[in-house]
Amino acid sequence: MIGFLEGKVEYISMDYCLLDVAGVGYRVFVSANTRAQLKTGQETKLFTHLSVREDAMLLYGFLTRDEYELFQLLITVSGIGPKVAMGIIGAITPEALSQAVQNKNIKTLTALPGIGKKSAERLILELKDKLHFGGEGEVPEAGTAFGMPAVGDDVFSEASAALLSLGYSQSEVAAVFQSMGNIDQNNDVQTVIKMALKELSRR
């Protein structure tokens, strides 16, 4: 119904923004990637999807057409609703997800928020012939697909979960791990968390 909105960003919250379009304020839910690029007072254009439920009408917005098209595909998969789709989009690029699905990389897919083994298998089954973002290539390991350095899966997962539980967003966690460079494979979870918190405190 509403393909896109263009206006001034009036307010940015944890998972949505208020967009002033000709004097009308639209509440648009955004992914972590889109949120990180928005600035209050900035004119912006968001591709939008209107989700109609029995109790609400919700707008979801995206800065890029690729993320918008990926969202449209994700919500066609059994068991994946708009919230889970937004979590996926905020954690991995369309190109990396496309490669993971094409190569049946369960390890990368189950590292995504809200995706277990069965959901990962459904993603592969239902989207393998539909996802065509980017070119062919090697799929990054779980973690590096989100802009994270290579680190033991258990250490990465536990450290990320701990930071998210403290209120940091997926994009903030991804950015801080990326800025830390390659993390020593021998570091334990507590050490990685302390390193990340120290880096976050500088921002």
Side-chain angles (χ1 to χ4, degrees):
M1 179 179 178
I2 302 176
F4 70 85
L5 291 172
E6 190 167 1
K8 184 172 68 174
V9 179
E10 288 290 341
Y11 176 75
I12 302 172
S13 183
M14 285 297 293
D15 59 353
Y16 71 88
C17 73
L18 294 180
L19 195 66
D20 182 347
V21 182
V24 178
Y26 290 87
R27 182 173 68 168
V28 185
F29 289 92
V30 294
S31 70
N33 292 336
T34 292
R35 177 181 176 276
Q37 298 179 65
L38 296 178
K39 293 182 180 179
T40 303
Q42 177 186 61
E43 291 288 330
T44 192
K45 177 180 179 179
L46 295 176
F47 297 99
T48 57
H49 170 87
L50 178 63
S51 175
V52 180
R53 304 186 329 206
E54 291 183 2
D55 59 342
M57 295 175 65
L58 306 175
L59 272 172
Y60 295 89
F62 313 88
L63 276 175
T64 69
R65 190 181 298 274
D66 276 355
E67 288 195 350
Y68 169 77
E69 292 177 353
L70 176 57
F71 177 85
Q72 299 294 331
L73 289 172
L74 286 172
I75 60 176
T76 66
V77 177
S78 304
I80 295 182
K83 287 187 177 181
V84 172
M86 292 297 276
I88 293 172
I89 289 171
I92 191 170
T93 65
E95 294 81 8
L97 180 61
S98 181
Q99 290 176 23
V101 168
Q102 297 302 326
N103 290 348
K104 300 180 181 180
N105 193 325
I106 295 290
K107 186 178 180 181
T108 292
L109 296 175
T110 53
L112 296 168
I115 298 299
K117 186 177 180 181
K118 288 185 178 180
S119 296
E121 291 171 346
R122 284 198 296 268
L123 280 171
I124 293 170
L125 178 65
E126 299 183 35
L127 297 184
K128 63 181 179 180
D129 296 325
K130 299 178 182 178
L131 283 175
H132 301 289
F133 297 99
E136 296 297 322
E138 185 176 342
V139 180
E141 290 296 325
T144 57
F146 317 136
M148 303 287 193
V151 69
D153 290 340
D154 291 340
V155 173
F156 162 74
S157 297
E158 291 182 37
S160 297
L163 293 171
L164 292 170
S165 70
L166 291 174
Y168 294 104
S169 68
Q170 186 75 47
S171 59
E172 289 173 320
V173 173
V176 74
F177 274 113
Q178 181 67 23
S179 68
M180 288 163 61
N182 291 325
I183 298 174
D184 191 331
Q185 296 278 348
N186 296 318
N187 280 330
D188 58 23
V189 176
Q190 292 302 321
T191 300
V192 173
I193 292 173
K194 288 179 181 178
M195 292 167 62
L197 288 173
K198 184 176 181 180
E199 182 67 26
L200 285 163
S201 68
R202 296 173 180 169
R203 303 187 171 204

